[in-house]
Amino acid sequence: TNYTSGEELFGLPITRYPELEKIEKELEMLGRLYELYTSAISTINGYADILWVNVVTNIEAMTEQVAQLQAQCRKLPKSLRDWEAYRELRKTIDDFLELLPLLQALSSPHMRPRHWKTMQDITVGTKGT
């Protein structure tokens, strides 16, 4: 490793640095988690820029992309599952996947003005609760 190259070069006994090796592994895992986290957040937040009229055409791609993020999240090392950042990432992905069927239903061509009016009445009535 990087820590012992000087000792090897001069033929000195190799000193082990278990703390540094542990930190190096943790940093690698954090790097993978951070990369996935930033990808997930930018992907999901990017969906907010899609106009409502285009949701129908994009819903399948959105579902596929977020499902891929979920699969990548599940492939991360099990030791990361205790970390708050992992739990937050998993919740963000899972919450959006749960929201997609609702978006799909709301973007259906069968939604009529009376349906939107009913939803408006219900949601306006629940603002204070």
Side-chain angles (χ1 to χ4, degrees), residues 9 25 34 42 60 67 84 111:
L9 178 66
K25 287 179 185 177
Y34 178 75
S42 67
E60 282 186 37
E84 181 63 30
M111 286 290 290

Side-chain angles (χ1 to χ4, degrees), residues 52 105-123:
W52 184 250
L106 291 175
S107 63
S108 168
H110 301 306
M111 286 290 290
R112 300 285 180 238
R114 70 177 189 274
H115 300 127
W116 289 108
K117 175 72 172 110
T118 302
M119 285 184 29
Q120 181 182 7
D121 292 345
I122 292 170
T123 56

Side-chain angles (χ1 to χ4, degrees), residues 1-6 8 14-17 21 24:
T1 64
N2 297 333
Y3 316 117
T4 61
S5 57
E8 290 174 8
I14 304 298
T15 306
R16 293 282 171 221
Y17 299 97
E21 291 171 6
E24 184 178 33

Side-chain angles (χ1 to χ4, degrees), residues 23-42:
I23 290 170
E24 184 178 33
K25 287 179 185 177
E26 286 181 353
L27 286 174
E28 277 180 36
M29 289 191 300
L30 273 174
R32 290 175 59 192
L33 178 60
Y34 178 75
E35 185 179 319
L36 181 57
Y37 188 87
T38 55
S39 175
I41 296 302
S42 67

Side-chain angles (χ1 to χ4, degrees), residues 40-99:
I41 296 302
S42 67
T43 298
I44 292 171
N45 287 347
Y47 296 148
D49 296 333
I50 297 175
L51 296 176
W52 184 250
V53 294
N54 297 327
V55 169
V56 175
T57 56
N58 289 299
I59 200 84
E60 282 186 37
M62 292 164 63
T63 303
E64 187 177 310
Q65 288 174 332
V66 178
Q68 287 175 351
L69 292 169
Q70 185 181 49
Q72 290 175 335
C73 187
R74 288 182 176 153
K75 288 181 183 177
L76 289 172
K78 291 183 183 198
S79 57
L80 286 177
R81 293 183 184 176
D82 293 333
W83 295 15
E84 181 63 30
Y86 174 86
R87 290 191 299 271
E88 187 175 323
L89 170 64
R90 179 94 185 251
K91 183 177 179 349
T92 300
I93 292 170
D94 291 346
D95 287 352
F96 192 78
L97 281 173
E98 190 176 309
L99 180 67

